[in-house]
Amino acid sequence: MPELPEVEVVRRGLERGVVGRTIASVTVLHPRAVRRQPDGAAAFEGLLAGQTVTAARRRGKYLWLALSGVPEPVPVVPAEPAGGPLAAPSAPAGAAEGDALLGHLGMSGQLLVVPPSAPDQAHLRIRFTFTDGGRELRFVDQRTFGHMLLDEGGAALPSPVAHIGRDPLDPLFDEDAFLAGLAARRTGLKRALLDQTLASGIGNIYADEALWAARLHFARPTETLRRGDARRLLAEARGVLSAALLAGGTSFDRLYVSTEGVSGLFERELAAYGRAGLPCRRCGSPIRRDAFMNRSSFTCPTCQPRPRSGRW
DNA sequence: TAAAATACCTGCAGGC
DNA sequence: TGCCTGCAGGTATTTT
């Protein structure tokens, strides 16, 4: 399931594979893949042909290709930490106004850069060819929760993404604003973590992992959280996301792969998610699975005691 | 206005 | 073998 580390791996692949190339043609093979395009598939195809990709950018789980006419942003990448590279920062405000090819991978979306001779994937939704005749870009999505659209003038920050907060690995992430926002919520801790307006990029897997690492229960009411606990949770979230990024992301059933079709290796390092009944790596208690928001939540009943008045 | 619930989807596993 | 059900889950929309 693509969350921040997986999407960042894909973004880097796009940077290597399509930046600097000009789109020759676009073929939409499934209308649902462009369901958010204002004028439908024909407009999507027509607006993209002839545009040159100038950058690959990301905010949270959204990623986009900046298109022709947009100069490269001034790099704002800090010195690489000992633990590995940080995610690229979100695009700076004020860049020139080219278009953006925006995409969200949903649950099962893949953006593959493959030779034109490669056989079509079973769930190929959109095909992009380039004027150099080289490798194609293909949007493949089994469950069709993902989508793409062309946002005119959105190269710096597409409008559908404007409400999404920065992610915890973004150098411009505002930690104090996050802590204040968390304290102001009246909901459960995991619901707040999954709210992409507060901090983006965290999904079900890494929310569970961060909560396990911080020894906090997912139903803990946000207003009862001490500032030190909140800081610890944020630090653990950053640690989990960074480690997953180094491992190339987490893969289940090959639903997430890089642009080269390679699966991530972080699954073997998961401490809570998907480990119901298995011993906690810290205390040995069997990991517990609870239904939560029409999905699952995994906790250690000893390390993450359930609050008396939790918010599910 | 904020929080919670629901709809959207397809492939797979497990039970019968 | 085939059918049915539950599950996976991010986001937008609807409801409370």
Side-chain angles (χ1 to χ4, degrees):
Chain A
M1 321 305 170
E3 298 183 27
L4 187 155
E6 293 78 33
V7 177
E8 174 59 17
V9 169
V10 171
R11 188 200 67 78
R12 292 176 183 182
L14 292 174
E15 199 162 57
R16 289 191 301 271
V18 301
V19 169
R21 303 174 68 198
T22 300
I23 296 170
S25 69
V26 180
T27 308
V28 176
L29 300 163
H30 194 301
R32 193 174 147 75
V34 292
R35 61 191 178 279
R36 300 195 190 285
Q37 182 68 39
D39 299 312
F44 180 81
E45 293 171 343
L47 288 166
L48 279 164
Q51 298 237 40
T52 299
V53 181
T54 59
R57 295 174 178 151
R58 179 184 62 76
R59 171 149 310 185
K61 301 169 197 170
Y62 281 91
L63 51 78
W64 69 94
L65 298 176
L67 299 173
S68 38
V70 183
E72 281 295 307
V74 177
V76 197
V77 182
E80 193 169 286
L86 288 169
S90 299
E97 297 174 2
D99 296 341
L101 172 56
L102 179 66
H104 193 294
L105 301 179
M107 281 180 66
S108 55
Q110 303 173 353
L111 279 166
L112 304 173
V113 181
V114 297
S117 58
D120 285 0
Q121 290 73 13
H123 305 287
L124 176 59
R125 309 304 189 194
I126 308 175
R127 184 199 314 276
F128 302 83
T129 67
F130 293 85
T131 55
D132 57 17
R135 290 179 299 166
E136 296 179 353
L137 174 63
R138 296 183 186 176
F139 179 58
V140 177
D141 189 9
Q142 179 193 96
R143 294 176 190 170
T144 65
F145 273 40
H147 66 276
M148 300 193 83
L149 67 87
L150 182 107
D151 187 54
E152 294 186 66
L157 184 65
S159 53
V161 180
H163 67 289
I164 302 290
R166 291 184 185 275
D167 66 68
L169 299 185
D170 190 317
L172 300 179
F173 181 78
D174 187 338
E175 184 168 329
D176 288 334
F178 170 79
L179 295 173
L182 193 63
R185 296 296 165 100
R186 293 292 178 271
T187 186
L189 202 43
K190 186 169 173 179
R191 282 182 184 275
L193 280 180
L194 295 177
D195 181 347
Q196 303 296 299
T197 63
L198 206 52
S200 65
I202 301 173
N204 203 40
I205 297 173
Y206 298 117
D208 277 2
E209 292 300 303
L211 288 164
W212 179 87
R215 300 173 187 253
L216 293 167
H217 193 275
F218 65 83
R220 173 87 171 263
T222 47
E223 68 270 25
T224 69
L225 201 65
R226 289 171 296 197
R227 198 169 173 87
D229 290 333
R231 280 190 190 282
R232 193 173 79 252
L233 176 60
L234 179 58
E236 297 292 0
R238 281 181 168 139
V240 167
L241 292 170
S242 298
L245 186 54
L246 278 176
T250 302
S251 302
F252 291 100
D253 304 327
R254 292 189 62 79
L255 282 182
Y256 153 71
V257 295
S258 69
T259 53
E260 290 84 22
V262 178
S263 297
L265 299 174
F266 193 67
E267 182 180 359
R268 62 183 67 166
E269 297 176 37
L270 294 175
Y273 183 86
R275 302 191 72 242
L278 297 173
C280 170
R281 296 191 198 279
R282 244 183 336 233
C283 72
S285 299
I287 295 291
R288 175 189 165 97
R289 174 189 173 277
D290 287 298
F292 171 81
M293 289 175 72
N294 290 327
R295 54 205 69 182
S296 296
S297 229
F298 297 89
T299 53
C300 169
T302 304
C303 302
Q304 300 166 270
R306 197 166 147 178
R308 286 197 190 93
S309 55
R311 289 215 174 98
W312 295 51

